[in-house]
Amino acid sequence: MTVEAAIVATHRREWARVLAATVRVTRDLDLAEECVQEAYAAALEIWARDGIPGNPAAWLSTAARRRAIDAIRRDRALRSRLPLLVISPEEPSDEDSRPDGRLDLIFMCCHPALGRAAQVALTLRLVCGVPVADIARAFLVSEPTMAARITRAKKKIATARIPYRMPGPAELPERLPGVLAVIYLLFTTGHTAPSGGSLVRADLVDRAMQLARMLRELMPGETEIGGLHALLLVSTARQETRVDEDGRLLRLKDQDRSRWDRAALAEAHDIIVAALPAGPPGRLLLQAAIASLYAEAPSYEETDWPQILTLYDRLLPVWPSPVVRLNRTVPLAMVAGPAAALAEVEELERDDRLAGYQYLPAIKADLLSRLGRAGEAAAAYRQAFTLASNEAERAFLAGQLADLTPVEGPSQRA
Amino acid sequence: MAQYAVLIYAGDSAHAPDASAEELETHTDHADDLAERGSMVAAYALTPRDMATSVRGDTITDGPFLDSKEVVAGFYVIEAPDLDAALAIARTNPVVHQGGGVEVRPVHSGGPVERR
C-alpha cells in the first residue's frame, strides 16, 4: 500500500478515534481538529520516510496530542475564547470498557439540545472527518452556510456546556434513538439522491454504514443499533436494482433478485437473528426484519406474507404511525385479499396525516386494479402522479397508468 | 459549575395575588425541593399575565410582551456542572407535565445587585 492510500484509509477509519483522543487534551473542538489535521499532514511525510507504523491510529493520536500540548503551552491566549468543554475525568482503571472517546464524541454531536441539521453536520465533520465543503454539497447548501451551522453548534456546545460524554445507563434509552436517527438521516439523504452530486451522496451511504458498524462494535448489547445496521444493509443490497437502465423506478416484484448483494443480506440476516431473542424488539429491528424477510424470498410471489404481516402487527404498537399501517396493507392484501386491504386503505384516507402522501393513492390504485376496478384505479394513479415528488417516481406511475388503459372499455378511452 | 436560568412557561402563572397556599402547593414544594438540594441560586414567581404591562417604543400596552398561548410564569437560576445536569433539574418542574414547559439558558453574567 502506498503512503497516500494508507493515509486515506486511516483518515476514513480512524479519524474519530484520533480526534476523540485529542479533544481530551485540548478541551476545545477547533484546536483539536487543527491538531489532528496537522498530524495527518505530518504522517504523509514521516511515513514516506520511516514506513507506515504498525498502529496508524495510535501514531496519529500521539502526534496530534503532542501538537495539542505544544500549542497550549506555546500560547494559551491564542486559543478560542469559548469556555473549555466539560469532560468527565478519564478513568484509568476502566481502560478496557471505555476503549476510546468515540462514543463521547458521537453522543455530544447528537445531543438533543442541538437541532437535527446541526447534529448531522457535526457528526459528519467531527466523527467522520468529512470536509465542510463536502458536507455542504451533500446537503445542497453553500459552504459558508454549512460552516456557519457548524460554528454555531460548536459555540452552543461550549457555552451551554453540552458534555463531552456518553450518557449513563439511565439516560441512554432516551438518547440513543437520536443518534440512530442522525445515522438514518445520513443514509436516506444519500440513498434517495437525485442524480446531481451523486458521488458525494453515495459517500453518505458509506459513512452511515460505517457509523452503524462502529456503534454496533462499541455497544454490542443495543439491539436497535443492530436493527439500524441490518436495515441499512438490506437497503444497500438492493440499491442497484431499484431503477432500470433508463433510470425508471422498479417495484420490488420487478427487480432482478440475482443482482442483490447476497453477502450484505446474509450479514443483515445474522444480525437480526442474533438480536431478536434478546428481548422485545424495537422499531428499527422490526423494520429490518420486515425488509430482510422481503429480500430473502426467492421471488416476490414466494414471499412469506403471513410472517411479514405478523411482524407489522408487532411493529404497529411500538411505532403507531399511519405510514406503517399503510405499508401493512401490502402483506394484508396477499394474506386476506385486496378487498380487505382496500377497506383498510379507505379508512386511512380519512387520516389527515396522510393527506398528500403519494404512496396512499398509489397503493390504492394497485388494489383497485387487482379488483378489476380499472376506472377508479386510473383516477388513483393520476392522484398519485400529481403528488409524486421526483421524476423517477412520476415516470413509474405514468407507466402503471398506461398499463391500465387496455383493460378499460373503448368508450372510457375516448 | 455554571449557572443556568430556567424560564417557566405556562398558560398563566398560578401565583395570583390572592392565591391560597393550597393552590400554590406543588410549586412551593418544588421550589423547596430544589433549594434543599442546594442547586437553587435565586427564584422568582411572577403574578399572572393580567398584571403585566408592556412597553415597545413609546407605546405602553396592557398584557404580556408576546401575544402567545404561554407566558413566562416565573424563573429561577440554578447551578449545575453541565447542561445535562441542568436539564435534569429543570425537567422536574411540575409545569412540564401540565401543558407548559421550561427553557434553559446559560447565564452570561449578573446576579443580585448590592445596594448602597
Coordinates of all heavy atoms in Angstrom, one line a residue, chain A residues 86 111 113 156 159-163 165 174-175, chain B residues 1-2 4 80-85 87 91 106:
Chain A
V86 N -16.8 20.5 28.8 CA -17.0 19.7 30.0 C -16.7 18.2 29.7 O -17.4 17.6 29.0 CB -18.4 19.8 30.5 CG1 -18.6 19.0 31.8 CG2 -18.8 21.3 30.7
H111 N -26.4 15.5 20.6 CA -27.1 15.9 21.8 C -28.4 16.5 21.4 O -28.5 17.4 20.5 CB -26.3 16.9 22.6 CG -26.8 17.0 24.0 ND1 -27.8 17.8 24.3 CD2 -26.3 16.5 25.2 CE1 -28.1 17.8 25.6 NE2 -27.2 17.0 26.2
A113 N -30.0 18.9 22.5 CA -30.0 20.4 22.6 C -29.6 21.0 21.3 O -29.6 22.2 21.2 CB -29.2 20.8 23.8
K156 N -22.5 26.6 20.8 CA -23.5 26.2 21.8 C -23.0 25.1 22.7 O -23.2 25.1 23.9 CB -24.8 25.7 21.1 CG -25.8 25.3 22.2 CD -27.2 25.3 21.8 CE -28.1 24.9 23.0 NZ -29.5 24.7 22.6
T159 N -20.7 26.9 25.2 CA -21.3 27.9 26.1 C -22.4 27.2 27.0 O -22.4 27.6 28.2 CB -22.0 29.0 25.2 OG1 -21.0 29.5 24.3 CG2 -22.5 30.1 26.1
A160 N -23.2 26.4 26.4 CA -24.2 25.7 27.2 C -23.7 24.6 28.0 O -24.4 23.9 28.8 CB -25.4 25.3 26.4
R161 N -22.4 24.2 27.8 CA -21.8 23.1 28.5 C -22.5 21.8 28.2 O -22.8 21.0 29.1 CB -21.7 23.4 30.0 CG -20.8 24.6 30.3 CD -21.0 25.0 31.7 NE -20.4 24.1 32.7 CZ -19.1 24.2 33.2 NH1 -18.4 25.2 32.8 NH2 -18.7 23.3 34.1
I162 N -22.6 21.5 26.9 CA -23.1 20.2 26.5 C -21.9 19.3 26.7 O -20.8 19.5 26.2 CB -23.5 20.2 25.0 CG1 -24.8 21.0 24.8 CG2 -23.7 18.7 24.5 CD1 -25.2 21.2 23.4
P163 N -22.1 18.3 27.6 CA -20.9 17.5 28.0 C -20.4 16.6 26.9 O -21.1 16.1 26.1 CB -21.4 16.7 29.2 CG -22.9 16.6 29.0 CD -23.3 17.8 28.3
R165 N -19.4 13.4 26.6 CA -19.6 12.3 27.5 C -20.8 11.5 27.0 O -21.8 12.0 26.6 CB -19.9 12.8 28.9 CG -20.2 11.7 29.9 CD -20.5 12.3 31.3 NE -21.7 13.0 31.3 CZ -21.9 14.2 32.0 NH1 -21.0 14.6 32.8 NH2 -23.1 14.8 31.9
E174 N -33.1 7.2 26.3 CA -33.7 8.4 25.8 C -32.8 9.0 24.7 O -33.3 9.7 23.8 CB -33.9 9.3 27.0 CG -34.7 10.5 26.7 CD -34.8 11.4 28.0 OE1 -35.5 11.0 28.9 OE2 -34.1 12.4 28.0
R175 N -31.5 8.8 24.8 CA -30.5 9.4 24.0 C -30.1 8.6 22.7 O -29.8 9.2 21.7 CB -29.3 9.8 24.8 CG -29.5 10.8 25.9 CD -29.5 12.2 25.3 NE -28.3 12.5 24.5 CZ -27.2 12.8 25.0 NH1 -27.0 13.0 26.3 NH2 -26.1 13.0 24.3
Chain B
M1 N -18.7 24.4 37.9 CA -20.1 24.7 38.0 C -20.5 25.9 37.1 O -19.7 26.9 37.0 CB -20.5 25.0 39.4 CG -20.6 23.8 40.3 SD -21.9 22.6 39.7 CE -22.5 22.0 41.3
A2 N -21.7 25.9 36.5 CA -22.1 27.0 35.7 C -23.6 27.4 36.2 O -24.2 26.5 36.8 CB -22.1 26.7 34.3
Y4 N -27.4 28.4 35.2 CA -28.4 28.4 34.1 C -29.7 29.1 34.6 O -30.1 28.9 35.8 CB -28.8 27.0 33.8 CG -27.6 26.2 33.2 CD1 -26.7 25.5 34.0 CD2 -27.4 26.1 31.8 CE1 -25.7 24.8 33.5 CE2 -26.4 25.4 31.3 CZ -25.5 24.7 32.1 OH -24.5 24.0 31.6
A80 N -25.3 24.1 38.0 CA -25.1 22.7 37.6 C -23.8 22.6 36.9 O -23.3 23.5 36.3 CB -26.3 22.4 36.7
P81 N -23.2 21.4 36.9 CA -21.9 21.2 36.3 C -22.0 21.2 34.8 O -21.0 21.6 34.1 CB -21.5 19.8 36.8 CG -22.7 19.1 37.3 CD -23.6 20.2 37.7
D82 N -23.1 20.8 34.2 CA -23.2 20.8 32.7 C -24.7 20.9 32.3 O -25.6 20.8 33.2 CB -22.5 19.6 32.1 CG -23.0 18.3 32.6 OD1 -24.2 18.1 32.6 OD2 -22.2 17.4 32.9
L83 N -24.9 21.0 31.0 CA -26.3 21.1 30.5 C -27.1 19.9 30.9 O -28.3 20.0 31.2 CB -26.3 21.3 29.0 CG -27.7 21.5 28.4 CD1 -28.3 22.8 28.9 CD2 -27.6 21.6 26.8
D84 N -26.6 18.7 30.8 CA -27.4 17.5 31.2 C -27.9 17.6 32.6 O -29.0 17.3 32.9 CB -26.6 16.2 31.0 CG -26.4 15.8 29.5 OD1 -27.1 16.5 28.7 OD2 -25.7 14.9 29.2
A85 N -27.0 18.0 33.5 CA -27.4 18.2 34.9 C -28.5 19.3 35.0 O -29.4 19.1 35.8 CB -26.2 18.5 35.8
L87 N -30.6 20.3 32.7 CA -31.9 19.8 32.2 C -32.5 18.8 33.1 O -33.8 18.8 33.2 CB -31.6 19.2 30.8 CG -31.1 20.1 29.7 CD1 -30.8 19.3 28.4 CD2 -32.2 21.1 29.3
R91 N -36.3 19.7 34.3 CA -37.4 18.9 33.8 C -38.2 18.4 35.0 O -39.3 17.8 34.8 CB -37.0 17.9 32.9 CG -36.2 16.7 33.5 CD -35.5 15.9 32.5 NE -36.5 15.3 31.5 CZ -36.1 14.6 30.5 NH1 -34.8 14.4 30.2 NH2 -37.0 14.1 29.6
P106 N -28.0 29.3 29.5 CA -26.8 29.6 30.3 C -26.8 31.1 30.7 O -27.1 31.9 29.9 CB -25.6 29.3 29.4 CG -26.2 28.5 28.2 CD -27.7 28.8 28.1

